[in-house]
Amino acid sequence: MKEIHGDLIKLAIQGEFDVIVHGCNCQCVMGAGIAKQIKITIPEAYNADLNTMKGDSTKLGNYSSAVVHFGEHELTVINAYTQFNWRGNGVKVDYSAIKSIFEKIASEFDGKKIGYPLIGAGLAGGDWNVISEIIDEALTGQDHTLVKFSSD
């Protein structure tokens, strides 16, 4: 896993990544964190989320996606259903959902440049040490980068 500091969305729009992945809940709410920023900046990704069934627990471990173009660059935004809900205290991320999603991404986006934030470790309360191992194992041999948010 490569690691850089920056703004995942801006880097993706500039062509640094072919695919970006962010964690979503199964309630069709992208109201905080990077999901909210994606909703504002790339509304096609939010529309893809709205086209799924609100509150459907079978979304866990799956994703919706949107393909957008910025000039000649094509970007796929993955709404990864990594948690059922956003409410309440404690850990909301589902580690097996993360594993399932990243295994699918490795297969379906083989050879693409993949970027993601500290998925599941922020508002969802997950342990990044556990999550990073899951992602590294699932994306073995892939070009993937953790982007730790920095406004610089």
Side-chain angles (χ1 to χ4, degrees), residues 2 12 15 25 36 39-40 46-47 54 57-58 65 69-70 75 82 85 87 99 104 109-110 113 126 148:
K2 290 181 273 184
N25 60 64
K36 182 177 181 180
K39 175 182 176 179
I40 293 166
Y46 181 54
N47 289 335
K54 180 179 180 181
S57 64
T58 65
S65 64
H69 292 88
F70 298 99
L75 173 68
T82 57
N85 210 334
R87 292 187 174 129
K99 182 177 192 286
K104 289 173 184 162
F109 297 97
D110 184 36
K113 294 183 294 180
K148 288 187 171 180

Side-chain angles (χ1 to χ4, degrees), residues 7-84:
D7 183 322
L8 176 63
I9 299 168
K10 286 182 182 175
L11 291 168
I13 290 170
Q14 293 167 358
E16 293 296 317
F17 301 106
D18 303 312
V19 178
I20 60 171
V21 185
H22 72 105
C24 283
N25 60 64
C26 296
Q27 308 302 320
C28 297
V29 175
M30 293 172 68
I34 193 167
K36 182 177 181 180
Q37 296 309 310
I38 287 173
K39 175 182 176 179
I40 293 166
T41 310
I42 309 172
E44 298 90 342
Y46 181 54
N47 289 335
D49 184 35
L50 291 177
N51 285 327
T52 66
M53 185 183 300
K54 180 179 180 181
D56 180 3
S57 64
T58 65
K59 292 193 303 188
L60 278 174
N62 293 295
Y63 65 84
S64 62
S65 64
V67 176
V68 292
H69 292 88
F70 298 99
E72 305 245 339
H73 178 63
E74 181 177 282
L75 173 68
T76 302
V77 180
I78 302 289
N79 301 319
Y81 298 108
T82 57
Q83 63 190 76
F84 181 70

Side-chain angles (χ1 to χ4, degrees), residues 95 98-99 102 129-139:
Y95 296 119
I98 289 177
K99 182 177 192 286
F102 277 93
N129 292 323
V130 172
I131 295 166
S132 65
E133 285 183 24
I134 292 169
I135 293 172
D136 257 345
E137 184 176 320
L139 296 183

